[in-house]
Amino acid sequence: MTTTADAPSVPRSAAGNPIGFGRMPRKEDARFLRGQGHYVDDVRMPGMLESAILRSPYAHARIRSIDTTAAAALPGVHAVITGQTLAGLNLAWMPTLSADVQAVLATDKVRFQHQEVAYVVADTEYIARDALELIEVDYEPLPAVVDAKRALDPDAPVIRDDVDGRTDNHIFDWEAGDAAETARVFDAAEVVVTQEMLYPRVHPAPMETCGTVAHMDPVTGKLTVYSTNQAPHAHRTIYALVAGIPEHKIRIISPDIGGGFGNKVGIYPGYVLAVVGSIVTGRPVKWMEDRSENLMATSFARDYHMTGSIASTRDGKITGLKVDVLADHGAFNGTAQPTKFPAGFFHIFTGSYDLQAAHCKVSGVYTNKAPGGVAYACSFRITEAVYLVERMVDLLARELDMDPAQLRLKNLLRPEQFPYTSKTGWEYDSGEYPRALKLAMQIAGYDELRKEQAEKRARGELMGIGISFFTEGVGAGPKKHMDILGLGMADGCELRVHPTGTAQLRLSVQSQGQGHETTYAQIVAQELGLPPEDVEVIHGDTDNTPFGLGTYGSRSTPVSGAAAAIVAQRIRTKARIVAAAALEVSADDLEWQITAAGGRWQVKGDPEQGKTIAEIAMLSHGTLELPEGVEGHLDASVVYDPPNLTYPFGAYICVTDVDPGTGQVKVRRFIAVDDCGPRINPMIVEGQVHGGLADGIGMALMQLIAFDADGNCVGGSFMDYLLPTALECPSYELGETVTPSPHHPLGLKGVGESATVGSPPAVVNSVLDAIAPFGVRHADMPLTPANVWMAMQGTPMRTDLAVT
Ligand code: MCN
Ligand code: CUN
């Protein structure tokens, strides 16, 4: 793996950490590596009860009756709750983040396999699960629709007949770009290539499943909720709006989170049920889902059936792109995404290319599957968009008999075109695309790889080289395009420097493994010259942190990272005034220096005279007479409303070998050049990229949630839903270019989802390049040995429908 060394000039703290940006071990690892993390399932409250959910065995069935008598009589059971109980509290349905509703417990029908039907609160989870078996539900099975392409057929059963007057399974139509202009460009095109492709349904499968402990204190009326969630403040507001509990009487605590990947953005029925359970019993109630519940009932990602067409000149200048998408949202439109558009950032489907016209149309449909979020390192539909355009460019290269790297270099946006307004109206902030691709080609030794491939092909060996280039728009914020249920996307941030010069930074974003406790301390360290170990990062507790909408869409660094920088800069400015008063000089005579002793305001031309931030902190809290209008203490707060998204990008190259006899794919090399602007902590960024590359390899080759014709989910355990391990992943070769964002105070762009977005097309392009001698144009993910082998025989599989 290639690495980036810290700049030698970065001063270091006594503990050896860089005072500012640079490689430093993660502060949180001291507890994680010792097994001392504190997760929701570790929460034990006095008198706490446990619970379990009864789920539907059918994908579609009418509920005739539910008999809970035997379950309620089981010793140790405290409450059995059904949809009818909830209906009495007006809580049988809850709003989703896409302005749809979702059943908390089914009342009329079940609409996907494993939907929530009843809830038991008992002394222990074991008793609760025993009680589930005593609940008798009389179901009338109904035909299920699991094939999105059949969901709009006139004879398809209507899934959402809870909505008066609904006669079909259509959710929305949405389009972007200029249809007329695109048609004109296609009419004039010398070459047009069209391909249908599926980005299959996948699941984020975090190590820790979802869960919650809810306690409604009957005396104070305060609801405390411990939950595995990526957006505690948004959850608090939604609980207040939905349950009618005053917001100041709700405290959401997200302790350590064992991976989110988008799975922990939304509110699941189990969370609401734990709250209801606590209200009903007057005791704290815990609900933790098991692995199968997590895989089968919480938010999925993708499930996009896409037909792309790309137009170009004979010599390879891309002129137009159009795409028609059928989006499978499952039984409830639970899409968790902050854009005001139903298809989120699919806008970015023109990718990184300079073209004349583009148009896309997305139609959403209901099916009898679990509600699809857009979770799983999705950047809210950028993932599907990048996959589409990168497959289309490869197909065009094939059609034109051009090298796919050269075709990309010919069409990538050029540095002088930035800021660039895309054909769908988004302003890409900065980019130097050809530089990144050329660096990836150089690390890969691209020309030699092509020679090796030609030699191997001559011997009948199958080797593939796949490229992808991606641009993401991350940092959900700009008001024009975004909100969540009417809430704006600005992030609050507070910084307190204590009298002795250590500090606490309070953030609204919520780490799930991204290392925020380290990188945000490093931002403050850089701006204030404090050792990063002296800056404690506090997050995940709505009573103790300012409002903000949480961590997803790689928005933390673009939004809260900017807030942290600005709040520290405000303190530095105030510190200058205090230092000037203490030194009896004018503030203009002071200059800022970061020394081994930390950040210091010192007299220009007389560096002996100065005050460190720690000294200034004591003075600010002490007896020093502060100038007129300057308050004591060294605290500040800020609310940062980002003017635009940030647009990180990258160039990936994947080398695969395919076994001609079995279709087995081996990823031999993976080269990833990422540009997320300056890197706060290069080690953490590389860790994010490593994780994302493994994700991408898994999705491209192994991961799949498929359904049989009756709507049974075939992917409900790790025996069926295969996650990549070290065995499937090569030792990654990373590179870096740095193109700062012009509007972020530190030039930073997000990176948390980059590799998950960018890698699947590189792997797929590589495998399809390997088996090109068989005349295969396209095969859908996952490229399992069976699927690859079938493609080599000329019949690639329809991967989303399981044959049982
Ligand atoms: N960083 C940096 N320099 C940059 C950009 C980022 O050092 N120029 C650091 C950040 O400070 C942060 C980390 O990299 O410590 C990721 O930052 P960012 O890109 O801002 O992403 P978020 O913190 O908002 O994390 C969200 C993102 C998403 S949306 C998913 S999904 C995902 C991902 O992060 N889920 C993850 N990475 C994950 N990593 C882990 N371990 N677990 C998850 O659940
Ligand atoms: Cu959409 S997966 Mo991440 O944005 O939490």
Side-chain angles (χ1 to χ4, degrees):
M1 191 190 82
T2 46
T3 55
T4 340
D6 292 344
S9 58
V10 178
R12 296 203 165 252
S13 69
N17 295 316
I19 301 182
F21 289 9
R23 254 163 226 287
M24 117 174 212
R26 301 198 322 168
K27 293 169 74 165
E28 43 272 80
D29 285 345
R31 63 178 190 281
F32 291 153
L33 294 176
R34 293 183 175 99
Q36 300 293 319
H38 192 254
Y39 301 90
V40 165
D41 206 19
D42 297 323
V43 174
R44 299 267 179 279
M45 293 177 86
M48 188 180 82
L49 301 172
E50 298 183 349
S51 63
I53 294 174
L54 181 72
R55 294 175 181 277
S56 165
Y58 295 105
H60 201 191
R62 200 161 294 288
I63 296 179
R64 289 205 196 97
S65 64
I66 304 179
D67 184 348
T68 59
T69 328
L74 187 73
V77 169
H78 291 253
V80 183
I81 292 165
T82 65
Q84 295 309 325
T85 329
L86 294 181
L89 301 165
N90 207 15
L91 279 176
W93 295 83
M94 62 180 190
T96 70
L97 291 174
S98 298
D100 193 359
V101 288
Q102 171 172 0
V104 178
L105 289 177
T107 44
D108 52 343
K109 280 202 317 193
V110 287
R111 294 175 167 85
F112 67 92
Q113 191 189 37
H114 284 89
Q115 186 180 335
E116 298 78 2
V117 174
Y119 180 63
V120 174
V121 182
D123 283 333
T124 67
E125 188 185 336
Y126 302 104
I127 297 174
R129 286 194 183 266
D130 284 347
L132 295 185
E133 299 193 3
L134 301 174
I135 299 176
E136 282 183 29
V137 186
D138 185 6
Y139 292 105
E140 175 194 335
L142 300 170
V145 202
V146 287
D147 181 354
K149 291 179 173 181
R150 287 216 47 242
L152 296 179
D153 286 357
D155 61 345
V158 179
I159 298 167
R160 294 298 302 281
D161 50 357
D162 54 295
V163 181
D164 274 348
R166 181 177 277 290
T167 55
D168 62 24
N169 295 315
H170 176 258
I171 314 177
F172 64 81
D173 287 319
W174 171 81
E175 46 186 322
D178 185 333
E181 179 63 8
T182 307
R184 202 191 56 71
V185 165
F186 270 81
D187 284 345
E190 290 169 354
V191 180
V192 171
V193 177
T194 298
Q195 179 65 47
E196 193 184 340
M197 62 189 78
L198 166 71
Y199 205 130
R201 187 170 265 239
V202 288
H203 195 282
M207 219 187 310
E208 178 202 29
T209 58
C210 297
T212 201
V213 175
H215 182 216
M216 171 61 96
D217 187 318
V219 178
T220 62
K222 181 134 184 171
L223 172 67
T224 303
V225 177
Y226 291 85
S227 80
T228 52
N229 88 75
Q230 302 178 212
H233 291 274
H235 280 212
R236 185 187 68 192
T237 305
I238 292 170
Y239 282 122
L241 292 173
V242 175
I245 303 165
E247 198 165 358
H248 67 295
K249 292 285 187 187
I250 304 175
R251 178 181 184 188
I252 311 276
I253 301 171
S254 292
D256 288 329
I257 296 184
F261 306 102
N263 190 227
K264 293 166 181 168
V265 176
I267 293 182
Y268 296 116
Y271 301 176
V272 179
L273 290 170
V275 173
V276 173
S278 177
I279 293 173
V280 169
T281 60
R283 310 244 306 246
V285 173
K286 178 188 282 184
W287 169 73
M288 275 312 294
E289 66 185 6
D290 66 18
R291 178 58 60 192
S292 289
E293 293 180 286
N294 180 258
L295 282 173
M296 299 214 259
T298 60
S299 56
F300 296 88
R302 332 285 189 243
D303 225 343
Y304 257 38
H305 296 261
M306 309 183 274
T307 304
S309 294
I310 191 165
S312 88
T313 61
R314 174 82 31 218
D315 64 354
K317 181 75 193 86
I318 301 173
T319 52
L321 184 67
K322 60 183 177 189
V323 44
D324 224 311
V325 180
L326 186 61
D328 184 341
H329 283 241
F332 306 100
N333 186 13
T335 302
Q337 50 106 349
T339 68
K340 292 178 180 172
F341 315 104
F345 284 121
F346 200 80
H347 271 112
I348 208 165
F349 73 100
T350 55
S352 319
Y353 304 104
D354 181 23
L355 32 75
Q356 291 169 16
H359 178 253
C360 79
K361 183 169 165 296
V362 183
S363 299
V365 293
Y366 290 119
T367 59
N368 289 112
K369 299 181 182 175
V374 286
Y376 195 176
C378 58
S379 287
F380 307 102
R381 302 300 191 200
I382 291 173
T383 319
E384 294 88 334
V386 165
Y387 180 75
L388 174 101
V389 69
E390 290 307 301
R391 280 296 298 129
M392 291 314 298
V393 170
D394 251 47
L395 285 158
L396 179 64
R398 186 89 71 84
E399 177 73 23
L400 297 171
D401 200 17
M402 247 180 109
D403 180 274
Q406 294 310 325
L407 180 62
R408 284 179 173 82
L409 284 171
K410 188 173 177 133
N411 288 285
L412 284 175
L413 292 163
R414 297 178 309 282
E416 64 274 16
Q417 289 177 279
F418 290 86
Y420 168 79
T421 304
S422 78
K423 292 294 167 212
T424 49
W426 294 69
E427 192 185 293
Y428 295 10
D429 57 352
S430 61
E432 243 195 87
Y433 295 173
R435 178 169 65 151
L437 180 51
K438 285 179 188 160
L439 177 59
M441 291 167 71
Q442 186 197 324
I443 297 172
Y446 188 75
D447 295 338
E448 290 79 65
L449 281 175
R450 285 285 174 210
K451 274 192 213 119
E452 181 192 341
Q453 183 187 38
E455 286 163 18
K456 287 196 162 150
R457 271 193 186 160
R459 296 199 297 267
E461 290 172 42
L462 303 178
M463 165 185 166
I465 305 159
I467 301 174
S468 83
F469 197 99
F470 67 91
T471 301
E472 278 190 285
V474 302
K479 284 195 176 72
K480 188 163 64 160
H481 306 302
M482 266 155 247
D483 66 39
I484 283 191
L485 295 177
L487 297 168
M489 307 281 303
D491 280 2
C493 178
E494 293 169 10
L495 180 59
R496 299 180 192 164
V497 184
H498 304 318
T500 54
T502 64
Q504 286 183 323
L505 180 74
R506 288 161 203 274
L507 293 172
S508 60
V509 287
Q510 168 63 31
S511 187
Q512 313 118 48
Q514 294 91 342
H516 289 184
E517 288 166 51
T518 306
T519 46
Y520 288 86
Q522 287 186 272
I523 291 177
V524 174
Q526 161 142 315
E527 295 306 303
L528 280 187
L530 286 174
E533 55 273 20
D534 286 355
V535 183
E536 190 187 14
V537 171
I538 296 170
H539 56 183
D541 178 351
T542 55
D543 271 7
N544 287 307
T545 56
F547 188 84
L549 286 189
T551 291
Y552 40 80
S554 306
R555 69 184 291 281
S556 304
T557 305
V559 189
S560 273
I566 293 169
V567 84
Q569 287 162 3
R570 284 192 185 163
I571 288 203
R572 195 168 72 200
T573 304
K574 177 172 174 183
R576 183 181 202 171
I577 299 166
V578 177
L583 295 165
E584 297 181 353
V585 295
S586 152
D588 291 341
D589 293 336
L590 296 177
E591 63 182 0
W592 177 252
Q593 271 296 324
I594 294 187
T595 66
R600 198 163 179 268
W601 281 111
Q602 56 195 36
V603 176
K604 289 176 191 163
D606 186 5
E608 292 289 291
Q609 280 221 67
K611 294 283 178 200
T612 64
I613 274 287
E615 289 165 337
I616 296 168
M618 187 57 91
L619 291 167
S620 309
H621 287 82
T623 50
L624 177 73
E625 195 72 38
L626 293 174
E628 191 69 23
V630 178
E631 288 178 348
H633 299 186
L634 205 49
D635 302 345
S637 68
V638 69
V639 176
Y640 182 74
D641 204 353
N644 191 4
L645 298 163
T646 66
Y647 289 81
F649 56 91
Y652 290 177
I653 299 179
C654 174
V655 182
T656 55
D657 296 306
V658 178
D659 184 327
T662 62
Q664 175 86 38
V665 176
K666 175 87 193 148
V667 178
R668 192 206 312 170
R669 289 179 67 193
F670 206 112
I671 295 92
V673 172
D674 273 278
D675 191 323
C676 55
R679 298 178 174 199
I680 305 163
N681 186 326
M683 181 194 73
I684 285 183
V685 171
E686 287 159 12
Q688 290 288 300
V689 173
H690 284 191
L693 295 178
D695 268 344
I697 290 171
M699 285 187 284
L701 301 181
M702 308 153 73
Q703 286 165 239
L704 173 73
I705 303 276
F707 293 82
D708 74 9
D710 295 327
N712 294 308
C713 175
V714 233
S717 81
F718 284 157
M719 294 296 285
D720 305 302
Y721 190 71
L722 304 179
L723 295 184
T725 68
L727 291 180
E728 284 79 28
C729 301
S731 180
Y732 303 118
E733 300 164 71
L734 304 189
E736 170 190 6
T737 59
V738 180
T739 313
S741 168
H743 61 80
H744 187 289
L746 301 178
L748 309 178
K749 300 181 177 190
V751 77
E753 297 162 301
S754 290
T756 316
V757 170
S759 56
V763 179
V764 173
N765 284 342
S766 181
V767 174
L768 290 167
D769 184 46
I771 60 175
F774 289 80
V776 184
R777 260 171 68 93
H778 180 75
D780 285 327
M781 296 185 277
L783 294 169
T784 58
N787 190 13
V788 172
W789 193 84
M790 293 287 280
M792 283 156 62
Q793 314 312 310
T795 48
M797 291 161 61
R798 171 103 190 247
T799 51
D800 56 332
L801 301 180
V803 184
T804 47

